Amino acid sequence: MKTISENRAFGGVQGVYSHASEVCGCDMTFGMFLPEEAEHDPVPVLWYLSGLTCTHENAMVKAGAQAWAAEQGIALIFPDTSPRGPGVSNDDAFDLGQGAGFYVNATETPWAANFQMWDYITDELPRLLFSAYPLDESRQAITGHSMGGHGALTIAMSIPGRFRSVSAFAPIANPTASDWGRKQFTAYLGADTAKWAAHDASLLMKKRGFDGPILIDQGGSDQFLDLLRPEALAEAAASARQNITFRMQKGYDHSYFFVSTFMEDHISFHADALYA
Amino acid sequence: MKTISENRAFGGVQGVYSHASEVCGCDMTFGMFLPEEAEHDPVPVLWYLSGLTCTHENAMVKAGAQAWAAEQGIALIFPDTSPRGPGVSNDDAFDLGQGAGFYVNATETPWAANFQMWDYITDELPRLLFSAYPLDESRQAITGHSMGGHGALTIAMSIPGRFRSVSAFAPIANPTASDWGRKQFTAYLGADTAKWAAHDASLLMKKRGFDGPILIDQGGSDQFLDLLRPEALAEAAASARQNITFRMQKGYDHSYFFVSTFMEDHISFHADALYA
């Protein structure tokens, strides 16, 4: 593990670290905020998964999450959104390849060699973090924005018992029915659409749901509403009688101004679950 | 207007009054809570429409709304749910006839003679109240439970500009697709389903929506979920990009224990709109 930077922030430390990833076959970088409480005891963890084009850095710098995490004594993890580097496959489009891992394990050429983000986020990175830092593995929650909201929801529903709560800001909610999903799943997972269902939050909601509370915020003036398909998730969650709060926030768009506006609510929501 | 009872409550007055209704062709009874502020100035108004089998009295006694209305300086109106009396048609079923007006103007025999609840709630009763009491007609909001949630949503969407906010507890959300709706609409409005659409919150949401905020609470363990169809409204609202907060409340049922639990949130929500 290599320390890229460490900055004191809100009484704790905002760090950036890199490590050699076995599953992604490249060096991976992540951000981590440790609140002051981590100096003496393991603290609860909130994972924040970012959206298309983002690195570990965007939310760390623009979401304003540390203020509230510090208030609640919660650690924040900001993973990258894909493998990266000159030896890693890429595409000219902003929504495929580097910066667009979509939180799946690619099975197709050329992506399979490095794009194993599901295993990275659910297995390799947590094993590394929980062995190296004062983090309480029994108290985890997960959130994310856009593609990261998709990641948070699909991962939380697929690994029952790991996360006490899940939230999302403007998640890609129904990728099997959207151009943010079909294109990437075809590239990463192949043309067999049966393999896509495990990575669609609305389909997972209908199939199994989440055994804990969910909070969703969606901007009513989001420029990507047609691609995000919040209505599919809203319908699925209500049909499943899922414990959920779904909020359509009038006038907000897809930006970090939207995310930061509602960050306090999300961290407070997760704190309720993490300290229950 | 005849005073049935008046009781001081939370610094104000909880009254019950009756009057001869022209549109319903019978005497009608309603409850009204006036907060202390009404002693010197007109106050904002929150209408509360009740559900099947209820009179003006159920919510007035069991919802605990006066405490929060008093805190916010808001008046509460509790109308009855249908015309009543020995000269008024009825049915042995609890969900048709007296106690089950469904907030429509009946056109069919034998109901048309008295069951004009749409006109009563939207025209006759407000005209009477605003001429007789210190109520601010320019600051109105509306809520309701079950059949009353259906009434609140359909009325608010159908009269743009009258209500600043609307909320509902476990509303009958899609009556044209439910046995709580098809049966009653057939009886009151006739078999032509085209006439039903104006009284279905999910269809109205798709057609026009509401120009203001909406709050919906639905118990996740509600025994009538299949009849209420919250998923239809959730999908419609998200598709319409409606400014809405939809909450599925885990473990709550259809009772007034559910309603009273979340009443503070609803009155606070309406106060934000009424005092904006």
Side-chain angles (χ1 to χ4, degrees), chain A residues 231 241-242 244 246 248, chain B residues 231 241-242 244 246 248:
Chain A
E231 60 275 15
R241 320 313 185 201
Q242 171 67 47
I244 195 168
F246 176 96
M248 186 65 69
Chain B
E231 61 276 15
R241 320 310 185 203
Q242 172 67 47
I244 194 167
F246 176 95
M248 184 66 69

Side-chain angles (χ1 to χ4, degrees), chain A residues 3-260:
Chain A
T3 299
I4 308 289
S5 63
E6 284 187 336
N7 297 86
R8 186 157 287 278
F10 298 97
V13 176
Q14 176 61 58
V16 177
Y17 310 91
S18 73
H19 67 107
S21 166
E22 200 172 319
V23 298
C24 291
C26 65
D27 283 354
M28 292 292 282
T29 302
F30 65 91
M32 178 173 61
F33 172 73
L34 287 181
E36 190 173 11
E37 288 81 350
E39 291 172 15
H40 25 88
D41 284 306
V43 292
V45 177
L46 175 60
W47 294 79
Y48 181 100
L49 305 186
S50 283
L52 289 167
T53 76
C54 290
T55 69
H56 66 281
E57 194 179 26
N58 301 60
M60 197 186 98
V61 173
K62 297 199 285 179
Q66 293 89 347
W68 315 116
E71 199 171 285
Q72 301 282 2
I74 294 172
L76 299 170
I77 312 291
F78 302 99
D80 203 346
T81 59
S82 78
R84 291 186 192 270
V88 174
S89 293
N90 203 1
D91 189 280
D92 287 342
F94 77 95
D95 59 2
L96 192 67
Q98 296 188 30
F102 257 82
Y103 305 101
V104 301
N105 290 334
T107 54
E108 305 302 295
T109 307
W111 310 107
N114 303 97
F115 285 73
Q116 302 294 317
M117 287 302 290
W118 182 274
D119 282 352
Y120 176 69
I121 297 291
T122 65
D123 183 43
E124 186 180 40
L125 184 57
R127 276 195 289 115
L128 181 139
L129 293 177
F130 289 113
S131 69
Y133 296 101
L135 304 171
D136 183 350
E137 191 166 2
S138 73
R139 290 185 290 169
Q140 296 185 66
I142 190 165
T143 187
H145 174 224
S146 195
M147 178 182 74
H150 146 75
L153 289 164
T154 55
I155 288 170
M157 285 189 272
S158 300
I159 309 178
R162 179 176 297 187
F163 301 98
R164 296 196 183 184
S165 49
V166 57
S167 75
F169 302 84
I172 296 177
N174 188 203
T176 62
S178 166
D179 287 340
W180 275 355
R182 286 188 297 237
K183 170 184 176 176
Q184 294 80 5
F185 290 172
T186 301
Y188 298 145
L189 304 175
D192 179 1
T193 59
K195 295 180 180 163
W196 301 359
H199 297 285
D200 183 302
S202 295
L203 299 179
L204 285 169
M205 179 62 72
K206 294 214 179 219
K207 191 174 169 192
R208 58 175 77 158
F210 177 66
D211 184 24
I214 299 180
L215 171 62
I216 307 283
D217 273 313
Q218 170 62 58
S221 297
D222 191 312
Q223 56 269 49
F224 302 114
L225 275 163
D226 290 348
L227 293 161
L228 300 170
R229 293 185 48 74
E231 60 275 15
L233 183 60
E235 193 278 337
S239 289
R241 320 313 185 201
Q242 171 67 47
N243 176 3
I244 195 168
T245 295
F246 176 96
R247 309 192 297 189
M248 186 65 69
Q249 303 284 8
K250 186 172 182 175
Y252 285 88
D253 62 22
H254 200 65
S255 74
Y256 269 97
F257 294 110
F258 158 68
V259 174
S260 58

